[in-house]
Amino acid sequence: MKKGFVLLFLLFTFFAYAQKFPNLALTPPMGWNSWNKFSCNVSEKLLKETADALVSSGMRDAGYEYIIVDDCWQISRDSMGFIVADPVRFPSGIKALADYIHSKGLKFGIYSCAGTKTCAGRPGGRGHEFQDAYLYAKWGVDYLKYDWCSSDGQSQKESYRLMSRMLKEAGRPIVFNLCEWGGSKPWEWAGEVGHLWRTTGDIFDCFDCEKKNGGWSAWGVMKILDMQKDIRQYAGPGHWNDPDMLEVGNGGMTVSEDRAHFSMWCMIAAPLIAGNDIKTMSQQTHDILTNSDAIDINQDALGIQGMKISSEDGLETWLKPLSAGDWAVCFLNRSATAKPIDFDWIKNVVTDDFSKRKLDASAETFKIKDVWTKTELGTTQKALKTEVPSHDVLMLRLSLTKK
Ligand code: GLA
């Protein structure tokens, strides 16, 4: 009897503490992060102005929720080991910043690292896990991105499990973003530990390049897209593959390339973390980031990551099953010339073994809407004949009309 009780207690403790906070990130997290545009140049002024701009630009209302300060907000640890924010850049302190962001109806995210130092050489979290989790909770942090620099000799599984447990113990629901660049295949083990995990090295603001940086490379959006192969079954509500933050509006790509980048991130149920200067963005960037039809596809409640069904001569066809029998379809033209499309819905029956969904236009009819031009394109009873410009997409929502 006594033994049974002890066992039950141990089991309860294990499940209470071994797992991440439930019911968070039920759709891919949306927000803004400082790194892609501002790298180490962060301050409370930048974060507050960005929060204001997120509201005034309509981005908050479009779904962007988390304002995340990346590396370089921290400068040292005090004599008791508590992390200290840079007093010049954050003169009011992190708690005041979190309060400000909350007062705008937004949530606040912060960055640290499982190793001894962050990637920019600031103090990391190793050895201070509970102390940091406690302080983050006290400050009102809602999201933690946890990096993997200076982690020699550490194991990803152990380090991220430890921080996940400490966050849980600190008691405030915090979305936990593992950022170990895919090295330990976190999609295979981190479903219980975090809410999203980076699947690759850093993104670079180009369509299809590799940016070599000595021992490591950063990758253009098409390269990153290709690296998402074979992992879609690991994504779903509360646990997402993270192909890194958006480069939309950062100037390295054309408007059509930015649109293709955003569309594909929507198709693969990626977190939509904008990485541009919200205060000064162009109308075109604004219109890409706030396209409600594209965002609806990304945020669909089923949380099914889309799949590539064909690739021919630089033209790829992607599908994403959506709620209520709908589908998203995206034709992605990666080539240097425009590509014709002649797609007979009735002849192209597609079965998705993962979601057990079947797109069969001979059995069901769908209305077609072009997500970017907002035009209605008839139904799936008629073959689709059009063309897609170079480095651009044709993104459609198929709405089920009748069985
Ligand atoms: C790593 C991460 C980036 C960014 C930087 C900060 O490279 O992958 O996303 O957080 O560190 O130094």
Side-chain angles (χ1 to χ4, degrees), residues 112-336:
S112 186
C113 181
T116 49
K117 283 186 179 161
T118 70
C119 296
R122 305 300 174 96
R126 191 174 185 188
H128 296 272
E129 289 82 2
F130 182 69
Q131 198 173 21
D132 286 351
Y134 165 81
L135 202 55
Y136 298 155
K138 208 170 142 210
W139 282 343
V141 168
D142 305 295
Y143 181 113
L144 173 65
K145 171 176 169 182
Y146 214 46
D147 217 334
W148 191 238
C149 280
S150 302
S151 58
D152 285 358
Q154 291 178 242
S155 116
Q156 283 99 327
K157 277 190 198 172
E158 280 171 24
S159 303
Y160 286 98
R161 277 208 180 112
L162 172 63
M163 193 56 183
S164 176
R165 251 193 3 255
M166 295 302 105
L167 290 171
K168 190 89 184 290
E169 242 164 88
R172 183 179 170 89
I174 292 182
V175 170
F176 190 35
N177 176 8
L178 283 69
C179 180
E180 57 75 86
W181 319 308
S184 71
K185 300 192 176 164
W187 45 90
E188 287 181 355
W189 57 266
E192 298 290 291
V193 177
H195 303 92
L196 61 158
W197 45 79
R198 278 276 295 279
T199 55
T200 68
D202 287 5
I203 197 166
F204 191 73
D205 185 16
C206 67
F207 192 63
D208 202 5
C209 71
E210 174 181 354
K211 170 85 169 52
K212 293 200 165 106
N213 298 301
W216 64 282
S217 289
W219 306 97
V221 297
M222 290 297 114
K223 295 270 187 295
I224 295 228
L225 184 64
D226 290 340
M227 294 175 201
Q228 310 309 307
K229 240 176 91 202
D230 304 330
I231 56 173
R232 64 185 287 258
Q233 66 272 27
Y234 298 104
H239 51 99
W240 307 102
N241 291 316
D242 173 9
D244 208 355
M245 305 169 295
L246 296 164
E247 290 285 10
V248 174
N250 278 337
M253 290 183 277
T254 64
V255 173
S256 66
E257 289 171 342
D258 271 356
R259 179 166 49 237
H261 169 29
F262 190 74
S263 301
M264 294 317 301
W265 263 231
C266 290
M267 289 298 290
I268 61 172
L272 297 180
I273 308 293
N276 59 313
D277 188 344
I278 306 293
K279 308 182 287 346
T280 60
M281 70 184 158
S282 69
Q283 189 63 41
Q284 286 160 320
T285 294
H286 169 273
D287 294 349
I288 292 175
L289 290 173
T290 58
N291 182 317
S292 58
D293 290 301
I295 292 173
D296 284 351
I297 288 168
N298 174 267
Q299 293 287 301
D300 184 82
L302 293 180
I304 301 170
Q305 182 168 331
M307 59 179 175
K308 181 160 65 180
I309 58 161
S310 73
S311 172
E312 220 187 301
D313 202 16
L315 181 69
E316 297 183 354
T317 307
W318 289 73
L319 288 186
K320 182 181 195 290
L322 304 175
S323 305
D326 289 6
W327 290 80
V329 182
C330 193
F331 298 95
L332 166 68
N333 182 0
R334 299 171 62 147
S335 78

Side-chain angles (χ1 to χ4, degrees), residues 327 329 343-348 359-369 377-384 396-402:
W327 290 80
V329 182
F343 195 83
D344 190 334
W345 303 100
I346 295 187
K347 282 190 195 145
N348 283 284
L359 175 57
D360 181 355
S362 69
E364 300 174 318
T365 299
F366 298 86
K367 265 190 344 198
I368 307 172
K369 181 178 182 189
L377 300 179
T379 74
T380 48
Q381 291 298 305
K382 214 173 122 211
L384 177 76
L396 310 171
R397 184 183 185 108
L398 307 189
S399 303
L400 187 60
T401 56
K402 59 173 189 257

